[in-house]
Amino acid sequence: MIAPRRFLPSISSLLALEAVDRLGSASAAAEDLNLTQSAISRQLKQLEQQMEVDLIDRDQMRMQLTPGGVNYAREARDILSRLAQASVKLRANPTGGSLNLSILASFGLHWLAPRLKDFVGQHPGITVNLQTHNLPFSFDTSTAQAAIHYGSRDWPGVAYMPLMPKHVLPVCAPDLLTAPLAAVADLLDYPLLHLATHPESWEQWFAQHDVAAPRLQGMLFDQSSAMTQAAVHGLGIALLPTFLAESEIGEGRLCLAIDGPAVTSGEYYLVWPRDRVDDDPLVQFRSWLQGQIPPQEA
């Protein structure tokens, strides 16, 4: 339910408030919005009267927002940004058939994106808009209607659809090793590459092989793609998901650092806010995505 009208200020007054907060003066805000300085002052005065709250600190020599005005301006900025993005989305697809999906870069680009052509072919009226994210991520500050999540069911306020386990392999450049290592512990003699979002991955991998590996050190990356390139160029050994490692191995850019099966490390999920469960584009996407999961990984 929308709040009573008296709590809904005009967009013009919110734009004036946001510009003053962002630019620091009424004159700069006026230039930014192509208005006069007096028009900015009128918009702010109107907003104060409607809210019955002082937004301007009138003890200052120059126009300055009160602490409450600053907080309100920043809330308004988020709302105006989301409204503008909703308008762009509407213009891009007037039928309303669109889905904003936030993806983890490696999974989204290497596993999901190659399959999306099939979804588009089956649902030509639905546009899927992709945006990437790292953790932490919140639907409250994003335009995404759903997201790819990796790890465990630790995201409050969302519904989960399991996709598949994340299987990882230790890989490196072919010229880093003359042959695959014979023992898991031997990997500790080489530089290990780490993901900032999952810095414990190597420790967990070694623990699954019953090898103690305390306080591991090495280069840190914020994206699997950057870590992959570092491995390709011989900077160390990386733990990569199979959908990424196998393609690099097939092209001869990487090789297994040690022979053995892939190890399971967490799980991928599709997640969405519980209050968006009935959005038709999301319903159609979930149904299609379920059919893309290999039976042995479902």
Side-chain angles (χ1 to χ4, degrees):
M1 179 178 178
I2 297 178
R5 186 178 178 85
R6 69 180 184 277
F7 294 117
L8 297 176
S10 69
I11 290 179
S12 298
S13 62
L14 292 180
L15 286 170
L17 181 72
E18 186 280 330
V20 169
D21 175 62
R22 174 167 46 86
L23 300 172
S25 70
S27 58
E31 182 177 355
D32 184 65
L33 297 176
N34 198 26
L35 297 171
T36 64
Q37 189 169 336
S38 61
I40 295 292
S41 298
R42 284 196 302 272
Q43 292 288 356
L44 294 180
K45 183 65 176 178
Q46 176 184 327
L47 187 56
E48 287 182 314
Q49 291 173 345
Q50 183 177 1
M51 296 294 104
E52 299 180 346
V53 172
D54 289 335
L55 300 172
I56 307 300
D57 189 347
R58 290 179 171 80
D59 293 334
Q60 302 291 326
M61 293 296 294
R62 60 194 294 271
M63 181 176 287
Q64 185 171 337
L65 299 184
T66 64
V70 170
N71 290 335
Y72 190 46
R74 291 173 184 174
E75 293 276 359
R77 181 176 298 119
D78 290 338
I79 293 168
L80 290 168
S81 176
R82 295 182 71 174
L83 180 59
Q85 290 169 347
S87 299
V88 170
K89 179 180 170 183
L90 176 63
R91 286 173 62 90
N93 195 326
T95 64
S98 61
L99 174 67
N100 287 348
L101 179 65
S102 189
I103 60 173
L104 297 165
S106 60
F107 181 87
L109 298 178
H110 294 278
W111 188 89
L112 179 62
R115 292 167 169 79
L116 277 179
K117 184 177 180 180
D118 180 72
F119 176 79
V120 172
Q122 293 183 36
H123 304 277
I126 298 177
T127 300
V128 179
N129 305 309
L130 299 180
Q131 52 191 251
T132 59
H133 74 268
N134 281 328
L135 300 177
F137 172 84
S138 171
F139 285 109
D140 294 335
T141 57
S142 170
T143 60
Q145 296 155 271
I148 301 297
H149 174 59
Y150 163 72
S152 57
R153 294 175 182 253
D154 56 0
W155 194 332
V158 303
Y160 288 83
M161 186 178 96
L163 297 179
M164 64 189 68
K166 179 181 180 180
H167 301 303
V168 295
L169 291 167
V171 293
C172 63
D175 58 0
L176 185 67
L177 302 173
T178 56
L181 298 172
V184 169
D186 293 341
L187 271 71
L188 295 170
D189 296 329
Y190 293 83
L192 304 178
L193 309 180
H194 304 267
L195 269 182
T197 50
H198 304 290
E200 73 292 346
S201 294
W202 271 114
E203 283 89 343
Q204 293 174 351
W205 187 86
F206 279 110
Q208 289 176 293
H209 291 85
D210 297 320
V211 172
R215 300 184 63 182
L216 291 176
Q217 299 178 5
M219 296 179 68
L220 202 60
F221 301 86
D222 66 346
Q223 296 282 351
S224 292
S225 57
M227 186 170 69
T228 301
Q229 289 304 306
V232 167
H233 292 292
L235 294 177
I237 302 173
L239 271 182
L240 294 183
T242 52
F243 58 78
L244 184 53
E246 288 170 352
S247 111
E248 294 291 337
I249 291 172
E251 293 179 6
R253 289 155 51 87
L254 291 175
C255 66
L256 286 175
I258 187 169
D259 289 327
V263 168
T264 301
S265 172
E267 189 163 3
Y268 290 105
Y269 301 89
L270 179 72
V271 299
W272 60 92
R274 291 195 180 105
D275 59 359
R276 303 297 296 270
V277 66
D278 295 327
D279 285 5
D280 185 65
L282 177 56
V283 171
Q284 299 299 328
F285 184 76
R286 289 201 309 264
S287 176
W288 169 82
L289 189 57
Q290 187 68 56
Q292 298 300 306
I293 304 172
Q296 67 273 18
E297 295 180 322

